Amino acid sequence: MSTPSDPELIRAREACALLGISPATLYAYVSRGLLSSRPGPDARSRVYLRAEVARLAQRKRAGRGAARGAAQSLDRGLPVLETRISLIRPDAPYYRGRSAVAAARAGATLEDIARLLWECEDQDPFAAPPPAAWPEPVAALARDATLPPLERAMACIPLLALEQRQSLNAAAPVRREVAALLLRQNAALLVGTRPDARPVHRLLADAWRPGDTGFAGLVRSALVLCADHELNVSAFAARVVASTGAHLHATVSAGLAALSGPRHGGATARAHALLQDARASGAAAAFIAERWRRGDELPGFNHLLYPDGDPRGAELLRQLRERCGDAPRMRDVEAVLAATAEHSGQHPNIDGLLAAICHVHDLPASPALVMFATARLTGWLAHALEQQALGTLIRPRARYAGLAPGSER
């Protein structure tokens, strides 16, 4: 019997052995979206991604002992702390009990979501306009168009902390005002302009497509849908830093640093590249089919927390079709969506739709990441405020697996 040539792919028998299940259960896992499969070396066989199978096996082992369960929790396993900020459900992420998808459809802005997540009640931390000019230590960096967006923000935000006299003020209203200013400043830094009193989605949209109100509406929805997603990598990093009592600028810097990794924020660039490559191939369906046959990933599709499809991606896709259904570049997107559904059964996720918005409007990949980073800062700040209100330090223990003291080398 032939075996997969790619070491990252395994046959059904090996997948069943790793998971401790029968072939029937394996096929049920695929139908439920817990695993994906692709054609094997012959027409009747299927192969599976080794990493996906191993990750599912880890999750199955979680709970078989406190130490093991805690260790497995660090990769989308068991919950590790309580939060009142957001809840992930199959139909939508929920912000303090309110559907993010419903909020996007209803016309909510990122500022509206910030007021909700930060529990502002009657306070409007965005009421005061931001300063008209950058502080002198920041001005040159903030205007430097040669710097990539994340790097420009990461360079400037620590310097902005030096100018913020209230950075360590513990009063909740003051902290919310600091957070609101940070939200505006970060957005402006990411697009290389000055902060102002416009809604954040207009500031971004006008930087890329001035005066295009339909495009601004897509950006608004994207920001709302990306504002928080429970304990994702960058939110957890920001929350750990916040637990030390560090100021909000430090927590935002931690979130941006985590987001800069290719396995987190880099997902939008890979999804954009997939759309660009499919267009360049001249035959998107064949291009996707060949990638899938080789065992290559399809960035911008699938989400482990949404086996039936990412509702954030579905909502943005609905809006993008409504606005740009007849656009030539939308046909590229539709071709990739159709081919991916046919060959893999996977649905587009939020990274894929942020990339699609850029592709359809003939923008480079960077605005997709900028939208994500602008929005997600709202959640980082909510987690920071919640963690510091608790007053506890996040300090997990490690289970040592190295050489025992005194052992012979």
Side-chain angles (χ1 to χ4, degrees):
M1 178 182 292
S2 61
T3 58
S5 58
D6 189 334
E8 298 304 315
L9 299 174
I10 58 177
R11 283 190 171 276
R13 183 170 59 182
E14 185 178 353
C16 287
L18 287 172
L19 291 166
I21 59 175
S22 67
T25 303
L26 178 66
Y27 304 145
Y29 282 179
V30 173
S31 67
R32 289 161 51 195
L34 298 175
L35 289 173
S36 57
S37 68
R38 53 194 70 190
D42 57 76
R44 292 181 298 174
S45 66
R46 306 293 291 181
V47 292
Y48 305 84
L49 282 170
R50 184 183 300 276
E52 268 192 6
V53 173
R55 187 158 46 238
L56 183 57
Q58 284 183 342
R59 295 183 69 178
K60 281 169 61 67
R61 290 193 295 268
R64 298 178 185 173
R68 182 180 295 275
Q72 305 301 340
S73 294
L74 295 180
D75 186 8
R76 286 163 287 203
L78 299 173
V80 297
L81 56 80
E82 292 185 353
T83 180
R84 298 172 58 198
I85 296 169
S86 63
L87 168 69
I88 295 174
R89 293 181 58 179
D91 62 313
Y94 282 74
Y95 302 151
R96 298 199 184 276
R98 301 183 187 181
S99 166
V101 171
R105 289 179 182 173
T109 65
L110 186 61
E111 288 83 355
D112 293 330
I113 300 302
R115 285 185 281 264
L116 172 65
L117 291 179
W118 303 344
E119 294 187 298
C120 293
E121 298 180 349
D122 294 333
Q123 180 192 7
D124 183 5
F126 298 97
W134 291 113
E136 185 177 348
V138 173
L141 286 170
R143 293 193 300 264
D144 190 344
T146 66
L147 293 174
L150 283 189
E151 284 71 11
R152 185 166 53 236
M154 286 192 287
C156 292
I157 285 176
L159 298 176
L160 290 172
L162 300 177
E163 304 290 325
Q164 178 53 256
R165 296 180 181 178
Q166 303 285 356
S167 61
L168 293 176
N169 191 316
V174 174
R175 293 174 65 74
R176 294 186 195 111
E177 289 176 357
V178 173
L181 178 58
L182 252 175
L183 184 65
R184 284 169 158 165
Q185 289 175 327
N186 178 65
L189 288 169
L190 288 170
V191 292
T193 188
R194 291 184 301 180
D196 58 40
R198 281 176 293 174
V200 167
H201 70 274
R202 291 299 303 269
L203 183 144
L204 298 186
D206 287 347
W208 301 320
R209 292 178 64 87
D212 188 336
T213 56
F215 175 72
L218 286 173
V219 174
R220 177 196 58 75
S221 290
L223 297 183
V224 168
L225 292 166
C226 293
D228 191 62
H229 207 233
E230 196 211 68
L231 283 185
N232 60 86
V233 175
S234 52
F236 188 65
R239 188 154 187 150
V240 169
V241 171
S243 77
T244 70
H247 52 67
L248 295 180
H249 293 69
T251 66
V252 165
S253 296
L256 288 169
L259 192 63
S260 69
R263 295 178 63 187
H264 191 10
T268 54
R270 292 197 302 276
H272 189 271
L274 180 74
L275 293 171
Q276 295 288 86
D277 291 346
R279 177 181 175 84
S281 74
F287 172 80
I288 294 297
E290 177 61 18
R291 280 185 68 104
W292 189 250
R293 189 193 66 78
R294 290 196 307 262
D296 293 347
E297 68 168 345
L298 297 175
F301 290 85
N302 201 24
H303 197 296
L304 289 176
L305 298 181
Y306 299 109
D308 296 323
D310 186 341
R312 303 167 300 171
E315 176 59 21
L316 274 187
L317 177 58
R318 183 191 69 79
Q319 294 189 25
L320 186 60
R321 282 170 169 163
E322 188 176 273
R323 166 178 156 74
C324 304
D326 296 329
R329 283 177 166 263
M330 189 65 197
R331 291 196 286 271
D332 300 336
V333 173
E334 296 289 7
V336 170
L337 292 175
T340 300
E342 177 183 355
H343 295 286
S344 73
Q346 293 182 359
H347 305 283
N349 59 32
I350 189 67
D351 300 311
L353 263 297
L354 292 175
I357 289 172
C358 293
H359 179 82
V360 170
H361 292 90
D362 200 15
L363 294 171
S366 60
L369 178 56
V370 167
M371 285 187 276
F372 192 84
T374 299
R376 194 51 59 85
L377 181 135
T378 312
W380 300 339
L381 291 166
H383 282 281
L385 294 171
E386 182 179 66
Q387 185 63 40
Q388 292 187 341
L390 291 173
T392 57
L393 182 71
I394 298 176
R395 201 296 191 190
R397 292 295 310 279
R399 183 168 60 87
Y400 180 68
L403 188 69
S407 300
E408 294 289 335
R409 290 189 177 272

